Amino acid sequence: MTIYNNLINGAWTAGHATTPNTNPSDQADVIGEYAQGDAADVNAAVAAAQAAFPAWSTSGIQARHDALDKIGNEILARKDELGDLLAREEGKTRPEAIGEVARAGQIFKFFAGECLRLAGESIPSVRPGIGVEITREPIGVVGLITPWNFPIAIPAWKIAPALAFGNCVVLKPADLVPGSAWALADIIHRSGIPAGVFNLVMGRGRVIGEALVQHPDIAAISFTGSVGVGRGIAEACVKSGKKVQLEMGGKNPQVVLDDADLAQAVELSAQSCFYSTGQRCTASSRLIVTEKIYPAFIEALQARMAKLKVGDARAAGTDIGPVVSQAQLEQDLSYVEIAKAEGAVLAAGGERIGCHTGSGKQGFFLQPALLVDSTPAMRINREEVFGPVASVIRVRDYDEALAVANDTPFGLSAGIATTSLKYATHFKRHAQAGMVMVNLPTAGVDYHVPFGGRKGSSYGPREQGRYAQEFYTTVKTAYTLA
Ligand SMILES: NC(=O)c1ccc[n+]([C@@H]2O[C@H](COP(=O)([O-])OP(=O)(O)OC[C@H]3O[C@@H](n4cnc5c(N)ncnc54)[C@H](O)[C@@H]3O)[C@@H](O)[C@H]2O)c1
Ligand SMILES: O=S(=O)(O)c1ccc(CO)cc1
């Protein structure tokens, strides 16, 4: 079995132990053994990054552009192979996984361009004879902590802006899916960037993540993951004066109005609730449907769900791959039971199914679940499940739909299906979410525009697009006597 080590100061370095990376479509399939680091590895990685920072932060923008562009090109050239690895370790279908890898490549190429576009301002002083310049500088060594559901895109969209703007990086990927992050680290390592500028330390969140968050030489933490872990990280960062950025959970509403195009509303709901096995922070999990279209919508959605093919993530024709792990499968199943106990009615799916794979071992397959006649106060409508489980709430009209959509502690993404310009325009302005979709699934975002939410979903500056510079740079104001 191949052992994949950590990357510290430009050298592949063994951890104190290794963990098998297994395939959720087939638990007998072990992809490799991945290093488990410890606090000493974090210390070594941060020291290497700290030592590399003076040269990297003042290196020419052409050199940084060329390195990021080269990384992007290799990712894109290898998207099929890397997509297959991603589907194998995380369980997205192969086309979805290839799409995610392509996104990662495009992100590196976008931020290669951003190296050249970072600009300052020159402003006259209120005092005659003095010039004022406002520039952006790198912040130092950044710790990046990423979740399992986008094993290459989320690392990419934190690493690329961090490096573009002259910072050094220690990446801690999710314990469940180290393979794609390791492959990305290998590409970055071979791109020619100096030793120590980028470091990878794999291992447990409570060990590696906490050591990064507590480290005095880390200037900033960018985290994507669960609300519970994110809040703890924010508290620790505020205490120690670190800059912090959090992207966390969602309970994204999809409103369907009486005047919606029924076929379009059904398709976008099926896509955003169930594709990628519902394991997207932008997935919709609450379908809020006005009363006249409700019966036809439920019937058509059940018919659409009956056509979804659940199976091995890498098999041709699979629409919905496995749930990522046994623990996540248990969580999904338990929420179906909680919803039923609170009075919702299971109208489709919701049971574990056996899709035998090559070895005869079972993966973690769940038939996508639809719960109807649910109410806003039920736990299924308030807590993030993070699986292919959607609940439907019947409402009278647009006003009630908007109120229910906003009645959540989260605010990442919100969608509306309507043919009314009036309601679409009102929803765009009044939905309490960072991202709003009109006649589109709540999931499915571009890589060159800001990404993030409100309320309990996000904290700190936006990720992505040119807005990423807000987090990865610090502003300097310089006064010069002419
Ligand atoms: N808003 C977004 O952009 C977005 C995107 C993807 C996923 N998510 C969220 O991520 C969650 C699923 O991902 P997950 O299960 O990997 O989340 P998680 O919070 O369990 O883990 C995220 C990362 O934090 C690390 N970690 C765990 N405990 C830690 C600690 N005490 N200190 C520091 N780091 C620690 C983990 O090892 C992992 O690398 C869902 O809630 C989902 O909504 C949000
Ligand atoms: O909404 S999606 O386009 O599926 C999407 C892609 C990547 C990420 C990374 O956080 C989130 C959502």
Side-chain angles (χ1 to χ4, degrees), residues 145-150 154 172-175 204-206 209-210 213 223-226 229 233 247-250 281 384 386 412 451 457:
I145 303 177
T146 58
W148 52 260
N149 65 329
F150 284 97
I154 293 182
K172 184 259 175 271
D175 334 12
R204 296 267 170 261
R206 305 223 47 157
E210 282 190 14
V213 170
F223 167 86
T224 301
S226 59
V229 174
I233 288 177
E247 290 299 344
M248 302 174 288
C281 49
E384 185 181 51
F386 218 56
L412 187 59
F451 177 96
S457 290

Side-chain angles (χ1 to χ4, degrees), residues 179-256:
S180 303
W182 189 94
L184 177 57
D186 177 48
I187 293 171
I188 297 172
H189 175 53
R190 287 185 292 92
S191 71
I193 66 165
V197 169
F198 172 81
N199 304 272
L200 169 78
V201 185
M202 298 175 285
R204 296 267 170 261
R206 305 223 47 157
V207 178
I208 309 302
E210 282 190 14
L212 272 178
V213 170
Q214 297 299 338
H215 202 294
D217 294 333
I218 290 278
I221 294 283
S222 179
F223 167 86
T224 301
S226 59
V227 174
V229 174
R231 292 223 170 114
I233 288 177
E235 273 172 33
C237 287
V238 168
K239 255 189 211 151
S240 59
K242 290 181 176 58
K243 207 167 178 180
V244 62
Q245 172 184 60
L246 311 174
E247 290 299 344
M248 302 174 288
K251 195 73 207 169
N252 307 305
Q254 173 62 56
V255 170
V256 178

